[in-house]
Amino acid sequence: MEGIRVENASYSYDNGYIAVDNVSLEIKKGENLAIIGQNGAGKTTLVKMFNGLLRPQKGKIYVDNEDVSNLTVAQISRKVGYVFQNPGEQIFNPTVYDEIAYTPRYFKLKEKEVAQKVQDAAELCNIIDYLKLNPYDLPFSLRKFVTIASVIAMGTEHIILDEPTAGQDLFGLEQQKKIIKELLKRGKTVITITHDMEFVAENFSRVIVMTDKKIVADKNKRAIFWDFEILKKSSIKQLYVSMLAKELAMKNNVISIDEFIHEVTKK
Amino acid sequence: MKALEVRNVTYKYPIARTNVLENISFSVNKGEFVAIVGKNGCGKTTLCNILRGFIPSFHQGKFAGTVLINEKNIKQMSMGEIAVAIGFVFQNPFIQVSGIKHSVFNEVAYGLENLGIDREEMIGRTEQILKDLKMNDLRDKHPVELSGGQRQRVALASVLVMDPDILIIDEPTSQLDPQSTEKVFEIIRLLKERNKTIILVEHKIDLISEYADRVILIDDKRIVFDDLTQKVLVNKKVLSYGVNLPQVAKLGIKFEEQTDFRLDYIPSVLTDAINVFKKYV
Ligand SMILES: Nc1ncnc2c1ncn2[C@@H]1O[C@H](COP(=O)(O)OP(=O)(O)OP(=O)(O)O)[C@@H](O)[C@H]1O
Ligand SMILES: Nc1ncnc2c1ncn2[C@@H]1O[C@H](COP(=O)(O)OP(=O)(O)OP(=O)(O)O)[C@@H](O)[C@H]1O
Ligand SMILES: [Mg+2]
Ligand SMILES: [Mg+2]
């Protein structure tokens, strides 16, 4: 199977703290899913194992059927691109252009091809106007798009976005929706970690919930948003339309404004 | 009494071609909880830096206008005086740890230690804030060994523990899970009950709507809305400024657009939504 397969993976940090405990999951190439769950659950730690930034002490990670423990970080990063939660850990070039061009240049592409990749990624992320600027002169919210563009320019088949929605305004969220759609159209796998439940309800069907080092649910968003035990255990909240529907004892577990209106008006 | 006042403030960053803020005026009463909203890059953080005197003191550029803290002109105050009057939480949670302390507990206590607060009181206050923010399990962790959301809570705790009368908080929940976010808003409400003044920059509009007294919306250098929360956050125009509306308000607006029903009013909070919708269910 092309995609990412995790078999009983565990990770503990140098201080001995176990952050991911015996987790297994399968993500097919071209899939679009969200990972949600409480702060400190182990989401970032888990996905950093997908691209070799962290190596599990126990268990296996397979990317496109290859055991990644046999690959170097440079080799894995041709397959899996990771957009850091903290842009400060990722950005180190003096201009936005150089930052996005870094990996294509590292792959020794011709400058013309590099320019094409930068153009494509910057257009998709709507940051064409900032290519000459220092990434650190941009506000935090735009800096996130610089890091997304860099990963898109790498051209990997699997892309992980760690908290892209944090601090974004409505236009930024719209842009991210577009980016995810376009990447899926190009056949990419997109894995998004987010705390924004409205964004989850609008953009994904499969949702993985992590709590306390483990995956506690992996199912359709509707099932998640109406599973009160899971919600409580993993510090998630229902959407406001769902809370309203619950208070009004409505049927059919609504998770969107349109569904709510439909329920009220159908009779 | 006015805790903060801004009169005709205009500012241009040194390398910028145009002003970032123009002719901004508003005031905040002691004990008020005001949310500042606006699209990315509209100048919210800039305004926070103006309110705490960081601009123009540490930034070149062109500044005009007056800022008063507790009715005293900020120009007549030293940075030390301002720091005692105002607690400030930075937008980027990844930078606001001291780098000196080896445990979350000591990190949070660090500001009190600097003030020379008596040891027992220091421990007591730190214990309390860790408890309030549900951070007890983090107390012995090293500040650099924290997840994104955990770091953000440490940054907030380090400022709250100082117990300032005015708090300016720039996106304190951007990395937080939904329950921790709610917790932060609950704590802000408790601070307000103790007559603290709070300026909060946030994008999480559903929570602003449930908790804040007043909303100031900035766009294109100016204040475009400054009114009670329940008046601003039901106005469809807000969306055109890149600011979300509470989901229940969007529901109300769409419901009226798509059906022949007229609601008593557009709800901005859950309890109001229950009231206006119950007759339809
Ligand atoms: N470098 C590190 N050394 C030791 N422990 C760490 C380190 N980084 C993270 N941890 C711990 O591992 C756990 C999981 O962290 P991780 O960053 O994976 O969480 P997360 O689910 O991404 O949380 P958030 O939603 O806050 O980003 C946390 O309890 C954290 O304190
Ligand atoms: N030091 C600086 N020098 C020049 N321009 C700056 C500087 N800091 C910010 N700006 C610019 O001023 C404008 C306002 O930035 P500010 O950070 O105040 O916005 P914001 O509303 O806080 O945005 P966000 O929601 O992304 O945090 C932006 O266009 C930004 O690029
Ligand atoms: Mg994380
Ligand atoms: Mg800001």
Side-chain angles (χ1 to χ4, degrees), chain B residues 238-258:
Chain B
V238 166
L239 295 169
S240 67
Y241 295 115
V243 175
N244 209 348
L245 284 178
Q247 206 179 22
V248 290
K250 287 191 285 191
L251 170 65
I253 293 168
K254 204 162 184 187
F255 183 73
E256 289 200 337
E257 281 173 358
Q258 295 190 349

Side-chain angles (χ1 to χ4, degrees), chain A residues 168-172, chain B residues 38-40 203 217 219 237-245:
Chain A
Q168 295 293 332
D169 65 16
L170 263 191
F171 304 139
Chain B
K39 68 175 179 231
N40 293 132
H203 291 286
L217 195 161
D219 191 74
K237 202 148 180 251
V238 166
L239 295 169
S240 67
Y241 295 115
V243 175
N244 209 348
L245 284 178

Side-chain angles (χ1 to χ4, degrees), chain A residues 226-251:
Chain A
W226 284 90
D227 183 335
F228 296 102
E229 199 183 320
I230 290 291
L231 294 174
K232 180 144 189 281
K233 191 153 82 173
S234 36
S235 301
I236 310 166
K237 271 174 59 185
Q238 257 191 322
L239 299 157
Y240 277 78
V241 274
S242 305
M243 290 187 228
L244 179 59
K246 178 166 176 269
E247 289 296 325
L248 298 174
M250 282 167 63
K251 287 196 211 75

Side-chain angles (χ1 to χ4, degrees), chain A residues 54-261:
Chain A
L54 300 176
R55 304 284 190 165
Q57 287 89 357
K58 282 191 215 145
K60 292 271 183 218
I61 312 277
Y62 298 88
V63 174
D64 299 339
N65 299 314
E66 216 170 341
D67 179 350
V68 302
S69 63
N70 301 323
L71 303 176
T72 63
V73 178
Q75 285 169 322
I76 311 172
S77 67
R78 284 179 175 250
K79 296 170 181 289
V80 183
Y82 171 65
V83 180
F84 281 74
Q85 182 169 3
N86 172 9
E89 283 182 55
Q90 189 177 331
I91 294 175
F92 59 95
N93 285 285
T95 69
V96 171
Y97 187 99
D98 290 337
E99 184 63 36
I100 305 174
Y102 182 79
T103 309
R105 280 175 180 157
Y106 178 85
F107 291 159
K108 306 237 164 8
L109 297 183
K110 297 202 181 73
E111 253 332 284
K112 208 177 145 196
E113 279 173 273
V114 172
Q116 268 166 10
K117 294 232 181 249
V118 174
Q119 180 73 19
D120 168 66
E123 250 171 39
L124 194 49
C125 293
N126 200 21
I127 51 171
I128 291 279
D129 291 346
Y130 312 112
L131 287 173
K132 291 197 185 108
L133 299 184
N134 184 321
Y136 287 99
D137 287 337
L138 297 176
F140 186 85
S141 47
L142 273 179
R143 228 177 290 154
K144 195 78 199 191
F145 282 100
V146 175
T147 59
I148 297 174
S150 321
V151 168
I152 292 173
M154 290 177 185
T156 57
E157 286 309 303
H158 315 292
I159 294 177
I160 303 162
L161 307 170
D162 198 346
E163 305 285 357
T165 57
Q168 295 293 332
D169 65 16
L170 263 191
F171 304 139
L173 294 176
E174 266 324 299
Q175 193 64 37
Q176 291 185 359
K177 251 182 230 184
K178 270 194 216 158
I179 294 172
I180 292 174
K181 272 206 184 123
E182 175 61 25
L183 291 174
L184 293 171
K185 217 167 93 192
R186 296 180 186 181
K188 311 282 183 187
T189 314
V190 186
I191 301 163
T192 308
I193 299 178
T194 179
H195 292 299
D196 184 337
M197 297 304 128
E198 214 176 322
F199 194 78
V200 171
E202 284 169 13
N203 295 288
F204 311 95
S205 358
R206 179 178 175 192
V207 177
I208 291 176
V209 186
M210 273 193 89
T211 301
D212 196 17
K213 323 168 195 326
K214 289 184 186 294
I215 290 177
V216 292
D218 179 351
K219 51 190 181 183
N220 184 276
K221 61 187 165 192
R222 188 182 312 279
I224 303 262
F225 283 130
W226 284 90
D227 183 335
F228 296 102
E229 199 183 320
I230 290 291
L231 294 174
K232 180 144 189 281
K233 191 153 82 173
S234 36
S235 301
I236 310 166
K237 271 174 59 185
Q238 257 191 322
L239 299 157
Y240 277 78
V241 274
S242 305
M243 290 187 228
L244 179 59
K246 178 166 176 269
E247 289 296 325
L248 298 174
M250 282 167 63
K251 287 196 211 75
N252 286 346
N253 296 356
V254 306
I255 55 169
S256 75
I257 289 175
D258 289 337
E259 287 176 6
F260 186 101
I261 295 177

Side-chain angles (χ1 to χ4, degrees), chain A residues 13 17 19 39-45 85 195, chain B residues 141 145 147 149-150:
Chain A
Y13 283 98
Y17 183 82
N39 292 131
K43 303 180 294 297
T44 297
T45 308
Q85 182 169 3
H195 292 299
Chain B
K141 287 203 180 220
E145 295 172 347
S147 77
Q150 291 169 340

Side-chain angles (χ1 to χ4, degrees), chain A residues 139 141, chain B residues 13 15 20 39-46 91 171 203:
Chain A
S141 47
Chain B
Y13 278 107
I15 51 159
V20 47
K39 68 175 179 231
N40 293 132
C42 76
K44 302 180 294 296
T45 297
T46 306
Q91 175 167 14
E171 295 196 34
H203 291 286

Side-chain angles (χ1 to χ4, degrees), chain B residues 164-181:
Chain B
D165 284 332
I166 303 174
L167 270 157
I168 299 179
I169 324 178
D170 197 353
E171 295 196 34
T173 72
S174 57
Q175 311 283 336
L176 297 192
D177 65 51
Q179 260 175 40
S180 308
T181 302

Side-chain angles (χ1 to χ4, degrees), chain B residues 221-238:
Chain B
K221 317 179 185 77
R222 303 159 298 129
I223 291 178
V224 289
F225 281 103
D226 178 358
D227 209 336
L228 295 178
T229 306
Q230 65 269 29
K231 289 197 180 148
V232 179
L233 296 185
V234 293
N235 190 331
K236 209 177 153 186
K237 202 148 180 251
V238 166

